[in-house]
Amino acid sequence: MKFRSFGIGIFIVCLLLTVQVCSAYPTGDYSKVLILHLTFSNGTINDQSVEMQYGHPPTLGFQTGNIRGTLKTSGGVVLQEFDLSDPRYQLSDEGVLTYSDTADFTIVVPYYPGEMSLDLTDTSTGTLLKTVNFLGAINQFQVKYPNDPDMVTNPGTQSLVAGPLPVSQPGALGSVMTLLQATMFSSSVFLEAAITIWILRWITEKRKQKKPVVLIVDDDLLIVDAMSTYLNKKGYATLKAFSGKECLDILKIRIADVILLDVLMQPMDGWQTLEQIKKNPVTRSIPVLMLTGKELTATEAKQYNLQIDDYIMKPFKLADIYTAVDNILKEKQKMMETLLLMKQAGIEREKFCEFASLTRRITINKKILEILDVPQASITSANLDALDDMLVVDYINVKTSINEKRVEELQNEINTTLKSKGLPELSW
């Protein structure tokens, strides 16, 4: 009974401290992000620009790749770790995965009060590629917004020092960090240590729970909410956009793993939005699934077949959406893992990238041909539109056949090298 009373007493103290500290800070949205524009050149990463601005922190840690990002304080304490895809590998306009020693890319990270830096490391070799210091960008932001609650200047100096805990911490994590500050000022050292240890363990476990991010774009609110709710239950994090412009705006600060994109939207339709996504080197490699109640035309198939990863007709079952997203992410993960194995085996990266891209292209083209389902007609009875459709189908069939032969050649070459080194053959 005494132990239970003691436990209840600790709970009440924690609750009072939390309420007191939470009420001491403003409730406005002061979320901030740091945006890095970088260049990869001959194995070296160079700064182009670093800026800080108001915005919601992106969801980091959901991507896979061989570049590890580590956010740290000036004292070397790790704030957050996440993985990035290598920006030197990109999908070309023809749908082929290409490699270039030079590549521009952007990273958006959340701001934590105090001095911060970011280490970028090649996990395959353990090489430190770049350390980016954010102090200059933070100080510029502080000059511009001196009254921001996270900005506190140490009198007599121009350097930034740690201010109050970030109001920008979203949801439960923000509450936990506020509670952490409360324990720091608690008179009970025992209570401070116990709660701090529990909180740090809780945060560590939360960071281990990585969820792929799906951006849902549709002007039908009910459809977006239904897909979001279903995918959340299936373990995905979701972002919502109700127009093409809103989709592009979100992608400026948050990179999704998959995009579900409706075709029939106004004023910017899905195809126009898709073109903008694929023009941007930062977003062009994101898989896009087109959603629509409109039949796919032969013209659209010919123009966009290299840019889409699936085409799903409405009405659809939510389970079908989940399956399509899950398949794409599994294929992406499989390709990245196999790419590392190929590198270790000494297989030319360009050869495997071509093999993987053509394999993906064949699968998508076959799906498009099933959707088109253009009947064969005689020259005498067919109208011009039907003949055009037939020509598109023939074109896709020919390209698919050529790609299949090339894939077979590449697979034989790769397997020959693997067998010579006593490694298992590629079985895609």
Side-chain angles (χ1 to χ4, degrees):
M1 180 65 70
K2 291 182 178 179
F3 178 77
R4 180 181 298 176
S5 301
F6 176 72
I8 294 174
I10 290 180
F11 173 77
I12 293 174
V13 170
C14 293
L15 182 62
L16 291 173
L17 286 171
T18 304
V19 172
Q20 181 180 5
V21 174
C22 287
S23 62
Y25 294 101
T27 59
D29 186 357
Y30 294 100
S31 300
K32 290 171 281 292
V33 294
L34 289 149
I35 304 174
L36 296 76
H37 300 286
L38 306 170
T39 298
F40 222 132
S41 179
N42 298 320
T44 303
I45 297 179
N46 301 309
D47 295 16
Q48 282 190 328
S49 66
V50 182
E51 60 180 314
M52 179 172 170
Q53 64 183 40
Y54 283 108
H56 291 283
T59 307
L60 296 175
F62 295 157
Q63 297 190 61
T64 57
N66 64 323
I67 296 180
R68 172 65 53 82
T70 306
L71 279 172
K72 302 188 302 184
T73 67
S74 58
V77 177
V78 175
L79 296 168
Q80 191 166 2
E81 287 188 319
F82 55 93
D83 293 330
L84 296 169
S85 299
D86 194 324
R88 293 172 292 182
Y89 291 92
Q90 293 289 339
L91 281 175
S92 69
D93 292 336
E94 292 75 28
V96 177
L97 187 64
T98 60
Y99 175 89
S100 173
D101 285 331
T102 301
D104 294 333
F105 64 108
T106 300
I107 303 176
V108 182
V109 298
Y111 165 72
Y112 294 86
E115 295 184 27
M116 293 170 53
S117 64
L118 173 67
D119 286 348
L120 296 174
T121 307
D122 186 336
T123 56
S124 61
T125 63
T127 304
L128 178 63
L129 300 171
K130 182 69 178 178
T131 295
V132 181
N133 192 297
F134 297 121
L135 182 59
I138 295 172
N139 281 338
Q140 288 179 9
F141 183 90
Q142 183 184 25
V143 171
K144 189 174 182 180
Y145 302 102
N147 296 322
D148 185 286
D150 291 335
M151 301 289 107
V152 177
T153 305
N154 187 8
T157 71
Q158 293 299 317
S159 62
L160 186 76
V161 298
L165 285 172
V167 181
S168 58
Q169 291 292 335
L173 183 57
S175 300
V176 171
M177 295 303 290
T178 303
L179 179 58
L180 178 58
Q181 186 185 39
T183 63
M184 292 174 62
F185 289 97
S186 171
S187 59
S188 170
V189 176
F190 171 79
L191 181 61
E192 173 186 343
I195 295 179
T196 301
I197 291 172
W198 178 84
I199 290 171
L200 291 177
R201 287 179 178 175
W202 185 87
I203 293 174
T204 301
E205 289 301 315
K206 283 304 236 181
R207 287 177 177 168
K208 290 181 180 178
Q209 300 173 8
K210 297 182 178 181
K211 297 181 179 180
V213 180
V214 181
L215 172 56
I216 306 170
V217 189
D218 198 311
D219 54 6
D220 189 320
L221 177 62
L222 294 178
I223 289 179
V224 172
D225 285 344
M227 286 194 289
S228 178
T229 301
Y230 187 83
L231 291 174
N232 288 159
K233 290 181 179 179
K234 288 294 185 177
Y236 291 98
T238 55
L239 302 171
K240 302 177 184 179
F242 303 99
S243 67
K245 181 181 182 304
E246 191 172 353
C247 167
L248 299 177
D249 288 341
I250 289 175
L251 290 175
K252 290 178 182 177
I253 59 173
R254 293 190 179 186
I255 299 299
D257 292 288
V258 180
I259 299 174
L260 302 178
L261 181 60
D262 183 41
V263 173
L264 297 178
M265 297 186 296
Q266 295 294 335
M268 178 187 292
D269 66 23
W271 296 123
Q272 293 169 320
T273 306
L274 177 68
E275 289 178 349
Q276 295 302 314
I277 292 172
K278 296 302 179 181
K279 282 181 181 179
N280 187 340
V282 176
T283 58
R284 68 186 303 175
S285 61
I286 302 176
V288 180
L289 284 73
M290 305 304 293
L291 308 173
T292 184
K294 173 181 174 293
E295 291 287 348
L296 179 69
T297 68
T299 301
E300 292 168 340
K302 183 177 180 181
Q303 184 173 356
Y304 299 109
N305 79 93
L306 299 179
Q307 298 179 343
I308 64 177
D309 291 80
D310 208 337
Y311 192 94
I312 301 177
M313 295 293 299
K314 296 178 182 179
F316 49 72
K317 296 180 181 178
L318 291 174
D320 294 337
I321 298 294
Y322 166 72
T323 300
V325 171
D326 191 53
N327 287 340
I328 284 178
L329 291 178
K330 284 180 178 178
E331 286 298 318
K332 181 179 179 181
Q333 178 66 23
K334 178 182 177 182
M335 194 196 77
M336 296 303 298
E337 291 173 353
T338 309
L339 182 61
L340 292 177
L341 292 176
M342 296 297 104
K343 182 178 180 180
Q344 294 173 359
I347 305 293
E348 296 177 12
R349 60 195 174 201
E350 291 82 3
K351 183 178 294 185
F352 175 72
C353 288
E354 182 185 1
F355 169 81
S357 297
L358 291 178
T359 301
R360 168 180 166 272
R361 188 77 272 133
I362 291 169
T363 301
I364 296 171
N365 279 349
K366 288 182 176 180
K367 175 71 177 288
I368 288 175
L369 290 173
E370 290 178 5
I371 295 172
L372 285 176
D373 192 25
V374 175
Q376 294 296 318
S378 65
I379 299 297
T380 56
S381 62
N383 58 38
L384 292 178
D385 290 338
L387 289 175
D388 287 342
D389 291 349
M390 290 168 55
L391 288 173
V392 169
V393 170
D394 288 342
Y395 169 80
I396 296 177
N397 272 319
V398 170
K399 291 291 293 184
T400 301
S401 178
I402 294 173
N403 289 342
E404 286 176 331
K405 292 179 181 178
R406 178 56 180 161
V407 163
E408 185 177 359
E409 293 175 359
L410 290 169
Q411 187 166 7
N412 289 335
E413 293 175 10
I414 292 172
N415 283 337
T416 298
T417 303
L418 292 174
K419 284 192 292 185
S420 69
K421 299 188 177 184
L423 298 173
E425 297 183 13
L426 191 64
S427 58
W428 275 33

mmCIF file of all heavy atoms in Angstrom, residues 21 55 77 99 107 118 124 127 147 167 183 210 212 215 217 230 253 342 387 389 401 410:
data_model
loop_
_atom_site.group_PDB
_atom_site.id
_atom_site.type_symbol
_atom_site.label_atom_id
_atom_site.label_comp_id
_atom_site.label_asym_id
_atom_site.label_seq_id
_atom_site.Cartn_x
_atom_site.Cartn_y
_atom_site.Cartn_z
ATOM 1 N N VAL A 21 4.788 23.603 -16.811
ATOM 2 C CA VAL A 21 5.731 23.964 -17.868
ATOM 3 C C VAL A 21 5.003 24.208 -19.179
ATOM 4 O O VAL A 21 5.312 25.130 -19.920
ATOM 5 C CB VAL A 21 6.792 22.848 -18.026
ATOM 6 C CG1 VAL A 21 7.695 23.151 -19.216
ATOM 7 C CG2 VAL A 21 7.615 22.737 -16.749
ATOM 8 N N GLY A 55 8.253 26.155 -41.309
ATOM 9 C CA GLY A 55 7.687 25.040 -42.050
ATOM 10 C C GLY A 55 7.595 23.827 -41.151
ATOM 11 O O GLY A 55 8.246 23.750 -40.110
ATOM 12 N N VAL A 77 26.129 15.482 -29.433
ATOM 13 C CA VAL A 77 24.991 14.630 -29.069
ATOM 14 C C VAL A 77 24.117 14.399 -30.301
ATOM 15 O O VAL A 77 23.734 15.347 -30.991
ATOM 16 C CB VAL A 77 24.156 15.269 -27.941
ATOM 17 C CG1 VAL A 77 22.940 14.413 -27.623
ATOM 18 C CG2 VAL A 77 25.008 15.470 -26.706
ATOM 19 N N TYR A 99 23.242 6.622 -63.767
ATOM 20 C CA TYR A 99 24.188 7.070 -62.748
ATOM 21 C C TYR A 99 25.010 8.226 -63.298
ATOM 22 O O TYR A 99 25.439 8.210 -64.448
ATOM 23 C CB TYR A 99 25.120 5.923 -62.347
ATOM 24 C CG TYR A 99 26.201 6.349 -61.375
ATOM 25 C CD1 TYR A 99 25.985 6.308 -60.010
ATOM 26 C CD2 TYR A 99 27.443 6.787 -61.839
ATOM 27 C CE1 TYR A 99 26.978 6.704 -59.115
ATOM 28 C CE2 TYR A 99 28.439 7.180 -60.951
ATOM 29 C CZ TYR A 99 28.198 7.137 -59.586
ATOM 30 O OH TYR A 99 29.164 7.532 -58.711
ATOM 31 N N ILE A 107 18.082 18.471 -49.125
ATOM 32 C CA ILE A 107 17.714 17.776 -47.889
ATOM 33 C C ILE A 107 17.003 18.777 -46.983
ATOM 34 O O ILE A 107 17.472 19.895 -46.799
ATOM 35 C CB ILE A 107 18.946 17.206 -47.167
ATOM 36 C CG1 ILE A 107 19.729 16.263 -48.086
ATOM 37 C CG2 ILE A 107 18.535 16.473 -45.894
ATOM 38 C CD1 ILE A 107 21.017 15.740 -47.456
ATOM 39 N N LEU A 118 25.110 18.607 -39.455
ATOM 40 C CA LEU A 118 24.657 17.379 -40.104
ATOM 41 C C LEU A 118 25.857 16.670 -40.724
ATOM 42 O O LEU A 118 26.599 17.264 -41.514
ATOM 43 C CB LEU A 118 23.623 17.701 -41.190
ATOM 44 C CG LEU A 118 23.185 16.515 -42.070
ATOM 45 C CD1 LEU A 118 22.403 15.494 -41.240
ATOM 46 C CD2 LEU A 118 22.327 17.005 -43.239
ATOM 47 N N SER A 124 28.123 2.285 -47.010
ATOM 48 C CA SER A 124 28.761 1.124 -47.631
ATOM 49 C C SER A 124 30.268 1.111 -47.412
ATOM 50 O O SER A 124 30.900 0.053 -47.403
ATOM 51 C CB SER A 124 28.460 1.092 -49.132
ATOM 52 O OG SER A 124 28.970 2.251 -49.777
ATOM 53 N N THR A 127 32.726 6.144 -45.107
ATOM 54 C CA THR A 127 33.399 7.421 -45.388
ATOM 55 C C THR A 127 32.508 8.604 -45.028
ATOM 56 O O THR A 127 31.328 8.639 -45.408
ATOM 57 C CB THR A 127 33.776 7.516 -46.876
ATOM 58 O OG1 THR A 127 34.568 6.391 -47.236
ATOM 59 C CG2 THR A 127 34.545 8.796 -47.159
ATOM 60 N N ASN A 147 12.033 37.700 -32.198
ATOM 61 C CA ASN A 147 11.040 37.424 -31.164
ATOM 62 C C ASN A 147 10.543 35.985 -31.177
ATOM 63 O O ASN A 147 9.661 35.631 -30.396
ATOM 64 C CB ASN A 147 9.852 38.372 -31.313
ATOM 65 C CG ASN A 147 10.238 39.815 -31.086
ATOM 66 O OD1 ASN A 147 11.058 40.108 -30.209
ATOM 67 N ND2 ASN A 147 9.665 40.733 -31.861
ATOM 68 N N VAL A 167 8.751 24.519 -29.210
ATOM 69 C CA VAL A 167 7.298 24.405 -29.306
ATOM 70 C C VAL A 167 6.932 23.659 -30.574
ATOM 71 O O VAL A 167 5.872 23.102 -30.710
ATOM 72 C CB VAL A 167 6.660 25.817 -29.302
ATOM 73 C CG1 VAL A 167 5.146 25.721 -29.369
ATOM 74 C CG2 VAL A 167 7.091 26.586 -28.075
ATOM 75 N N THR A 183 11.578 17.968 -15.700
ATOM 76 C CA THR A 183 12.378 17.156 -14.788
ATOM 77 C C THR A 183 13.739 17.775 -14.540
ATOM 78 O O THR A 183 14.334 17.582 -13.479
ATOM 79 C CB THR A 183 12.556 15.735 -15.350
ATOM 80 O OG1 THR A 183 13.279 15.805 -16.580
ATOM 81 C CG2 THR A 183 11.214 15.077 -15.600
ATOM 82 N N LYS A 210 9.955 3.013 -38.244
ATOM 83 C CA LYS A 210 9.996 3.744 -39.503
ATOM 84 C C LYS A 210 8.804 3.357 -40.366
ATOM 85 O O LYS A 210 8.564 2.184 -40.617
ATOM 86 C CB LYS A 210 11.306 3.459 -40.239
ATOM 87 C CG LYS A 210 12.539 3.932 -39.482
ATOM 88 C CD LYS A 210 13.788 3.676 -40.290
ATOM 89 C CE LYS A 210 15.020 4.193 -39.550
ATOM 90 N NZ LYS A 210 16.263 3.986 -40.320
ATOM 91 N N PRO A 212 6.902 4.019 -44.109
ATOM 92 C CA PRO A 212 6.959 4.641 -45.431
ATOM 93 C C PRO A 212 5.885 5.725 -45.552
ATOM 94 O O PRO A 212 4.798 5.619 -44.982
ATOM 95 C CB PRO A 212 6.682 3.470 -46.384
ATOM 96 C CG PRO A 212 6.982 2.241 -45.584
ATOM 97 C CD PRO A 212 6.640 2.579 -44.172
ATOM 98 N N LEU A 215 2.006 9.974 -50.235
ATOM 99 C CA LEU A 215 1.321 11.247 -50.499
ATOM 100 C C LEU A 215 0.093 10.959 -51.354
ATOM 101 O O LEU A 215 0.202 10.448 -52.472
ATOM 102 C CB LEU A 215 2.257 12.213 -51.225
ATOM 103 C CG LEU A 215 1.645 13.525 -51.740
ATOM 104 C CD1 LEU A 215 0.970 14.308 -50.619
ATOM 105 C CD2 LEU A 215 2.715 14.383 -52.419
ATOM 106 N N VAL A 217 -3.079 12.351 -53.433
ATOM 107 C CA VAL A 217 -3.484 13.577 -54.127
ATOM 108 C C VAL A 217 -4.791 13.322 -54.868
ATOM 109 O O VAL A 217 -4.843 12.549 -55.831
ATOM 110 C CB VAL A 217 -2.407 14.040 -55.135
ATOM 111 C CG1 VAL A 217 -2.752 15.418 -55.677
ATOM 112 C CG2 VAL A 217 -1.033 14.035 -54.499
ATOM 113 N N TYR A 230 -7.072 4.007 -44.130
ATOM 114 C CA TYR A 230 -6.761 2.596 -44.391
ATOM 115 C C TYR A 230 -5.248 2.359 -44.392
ATOM 116 O O TYR A 230 -4.759 1.400 -43.779
ATOM 117 C CB TYR A 230 -7.352 2.171 -45.732
ATOM 118 C CG TYR A 230 -7.230 0.693 -46.014
ATOM 119 C CD1 TYR A 230 -8.147 -0.215 -45.499
ATOM 120 C CD2 TYR A 230 -6.185 0.198 -46.784
ATOM 121 C CE1 TYR A 230 -8.041 -1.572 -45.750
ATOM 122 C CE2 TYR A 230 -6.055 -1.161 -47.040
ATOM 123 C CZ TYR A 230 -6.991 -2.041 -46.524
ATOM 124 O OH TYR A 230 -6.866 -3.382 -46.775
ATOM 125 N N ILE A 253 8.955 20.482 -49.358
ATOM 126 C CA ILE A 253 9.494 20.359 -47.999
ATOM 127 C C ILE A 253 9.442 18.934 -47.463
ATOM 128 O O ILE A 253 10.084 18.634 -46.459
ATOM 129 C CB ILE A 253 8.754 21.296 -47.013
ATOM 130 C CG1 ILE A 253 7.263 20.995 -46.975
ATOM 131 C CG2 ILE A 253 8.994 22.743 -47.361
ATOM 132 C CD1 ILE A 253 6.510 21.777 -45.909
ATOM 133 N N MET A 342 25.554 -6.415 -55.919
ATOM 134 C CA MET A 342 26.221 -6.351 -57.214
ATOM 135 C C MET A 342 27.539 -5.583 -57.107
ATOM 136 O O MET A 342 28.547 -5.952 -57.713
ATOM 137 C CB MET A 342 25.322 -5.676 -58.251
ATOM 138 C CG MET A 342 24.033 -6.415 -58.589
ATOM 139 S SD MET A 342 24.277 -8.024 -59.350
ATOM 140 C CE MET A 342 23.896 -9.089 -57.945
ATOM 141 N N LEU A 387 -7.240 3.045 -85.487
ATOM 142 C CA LEU A 387 -5.936 2.715 -86.062
ATOM 143 C C LEU A 387 -4.801 3.319 -85.239
ATOM 144 O O LEU A 387 -3.769 2.682 -85.032
ATOM 145 C CB LEU A 387 -5.866 3.216 -87.504
ATOM 146 C CG LEU A 387 -6.726 2.458 -88.526
ATOM 147 C CD1 LEU A 387 -6.665 3.137 -89.881
ATOM 148 C CD2 LEU A 387 -6.275 1.000 -88.633
ATOM 149 N N ASP A 389 -4.889 3.920 -82.038
ATOM 150 C CA ASP A 389 -4.792 3.112 -80.820
ATOM 151 C C ASP A 389 -4.036 1.818 -81.085
ATOM 152 O O ASP A 389 -3.196 1.379 -80.279
ATOM 153 C CB ASP A 389 -6.184 2.797 -80.272
ATOM 154 C CG ASP A 389 -6.881 4.031 -79.712
ATOM 155 O OD1 ASP A 389 -6.200 5.074 -79.572
ATOM 156 O OD2 ASP A 389 -8.078 3.957 -79.428
ATOM 157 N N SER A 401 8.983 -6.280 -76.203
ATOM 158 C CA SER A 401 9.713 -7.438 -76.727
ATOM 159 C C SER A 401 11.219 -7.159 -76.787
ATOM 160 O O SER A 401 12.039 -8.005 -76.410
ATOM 161 C CB SER A 401 9.182 -7.802 -78.117
ATOM 162 O OG SER A 401 9.895 -8.877 -78.662
ATOM 163 N N LEU A 410 21.316 -9.262 -70.348
ATOM 164 C CA LEU A 410 21.954 -8.704 -69.152
ATOM 165 C C LEU A 410 21.964 -9.715 -68.009
ATOM 166 O O LEU A 410 22.963 -9.831 -67.286
ATOM 167 C CB LEU A 410 21.221 -7.433 -68.718
ATOM 168 C CG LEU A 410 21.382 -6.213 -69.625
ATOM 169 C CD1 LEU A 410 20.389 -5.129 -69.233
ATOM 170 C CD2 LEU A 410 22.808 -5.671 -69.558
#
